[in-house]
Amino acid sequence: MSTSADPLATLAALPGVAESVNAVRTAVDRVYGHRVMRRRSNEVTSEAALRGARGSAALAGADWALEEVRRRTDFGAEGEPRTVGAALRLTAEAGQLLSIWRQSPLRVLARLHLVAAGGAEGDERIGRPRQSGEPVDEPLIGSDLPLPDADEVAGRLDGLAGLLLAGSEAPALVTAAVVHGELLALRPFVSRNGLVARAAERVVLVGSGLDPKSICPAEVGYAELGAAPYMAALEGYASGTPEGMAVWIAHCGRAVELGVRESTAVCEALQRGAA
């Protein structure tokens, strides 16, 4: 990334990024202006949370139908149920961490990992960055991207936190995309990094004021776009090239737009009395 005083703003100036930012802003403004949002925004927020959790879990290998997520309660079982449960817990937790995020992003990331790994009490690896020699369980990414060593992870996490605390003039989409991409590229925890990265992106989008009611679930968009394009865009981010970074930011923007489309459909259904 750029060594300028505001590297996030530098990314915002990359070719094509402004178009993504404007498209997201237009889409978000449109759904917030829907008449249903004046009276029933809490219902839209709840439905967006459920659908976002389903999308994030799908990318983590638990691709359940929405109605299956809605009706099931056995999220403590090993395998896919625990993945879906982790996604649901993270979505609920993210909105409670905004004030802490502004003071200490690393504390929030630790908390998100603790939440994602619920039921793993006593495991000292939970809630802290991985140490040298500790393996990472991240099925989606696997060996497609080189895994940074523990020292690089620690240094880059500190750099990310410093960048966030310093503030930026960059649009929320750019900041959220960088947080998401950096956490996926680093895989700082021994497990659940994808779920944590997408939850952290949600924290940024909500806390920035772009999506204050959390009704634009980008996770829905990532799942709809598919795992292969998600990984291809992430490889662009990991390359560190301007072109690769722009591709990743555009992918994140498109995911937010698709999340907006999902919530617009929810609004329309509520208006018709069908949901």
Side-chain angles (χ1 to χ4, degrees):
M1 285 168 44
S2 170
T3 57
S4 72
D6 189 348
L8 292 174
T10 300
L11 292 178
L14 291 174
V17 171
E19 289 83 349
S20 294
V21 168
N22 290 337
V24 166
R25 180 75 266 176
T26 298
V28 171
D29 286 347
R30 186 179 301 120
V31 72
Y32 269 86
H34 197 287
R35 67 174 60 186
V36 165
M37 289 296 296
R38 293 197 293 270
R39 297 175 289 106
R40 305 179 70 178
S41 64
N42 288 342
E43 294 173 70
V44 181
T45 295
S46 295
E47 191 64 21
L50 184 70
R51 295 177 186 223
R54 193 218 72 82
S56 192
L59 283 173
D63 191 1
W64 290 11
L66 180 63
E67 292 310 314
E68 183 81 354
V69 178
R70 203 186 299 278
R71 73 173 184 83
R72 291 278 288 268
T73 58
D74 57 329
F75 298 120
E78 289 296 330
E80 291 187 4
R82 287 197 66 177
T83 297
V84 175
L88 289 166
R89 291 193 302 272
L90 283 170
T91 301
E93 186 77 8
Q96 310 302 313
L97 299 172
L98 297 176
S99 61
I100 302 173
W101 178 265
R102 297 184 183 104
Q103 300 169 9
S104 178
L106 297 185
R107 280 181 59 199
V108 170
L109 294 178
R111 174 62 185 168
L112 290 174
H113 190 241
L114 281 167
V115 170
E121 291 85 355
D123 188 340
E124 65 177 11
R125 301 173 304 168
I126 302 305
R128 64 152 172 79
R130 56 186 168 83
Q131 297 178 357
S132 180
E134 291 180 340
V136 175
D137 179 16
E138 200 64 49
L140 174 64
I141 298 177
S143 60
D144 291 342
L145 288 180
L147 184 67
D149 63 29
D151 288 340
E152 182 178 351
V153 167
R156 285 174 63 175
L157 281 177
D158 285 343
L160 178 63
L163 195 64
L164 294 169
L165 292 173
S168 173
E169 296 299 317
L173 172 65
V174 173
T175 303
V178 167
V179 168
H180 183 173
E182 190 72 354
L183 292 175
L184 278 181
L186 291 178
R187 284 146 287 167
F189 302 110
V190 295
S191 63
R192 308 291 195 198
N193 290 286
L195 292 173
V196 169
R198 291 184 288 276
E201 180 186 63
R202 176 179 287 269
V203 171
V204 174
L205 292 173
V206 173
S208 67
L210 176 65
D211 181 22
K213 294 183 182 293
S214 195
I215 61 166
C216 306
E219 304 95 328
V220 169
Y222 294 122
E224 182 173 337
L225 291 167
Y230 186 64
M231 281 305 307
L234 176 60
E235 288 169 6
Y237 176 88
S239 75
T241 65
E243 296 81 8
M245 299 292 283
V247 166
W248 172 250
I249 294 167
H251 190 78
C252 294
R254 181 58 180 151
V256 175
E257 289 184 73
L258 290 171
V260 168
R261 187 179 71 181
E262 187 85 355
S263 286
T264 300
V266 170
C267 288
E268 294 295 328
L270 287 170
Q271 185 168 290
R272 295 192 305 271

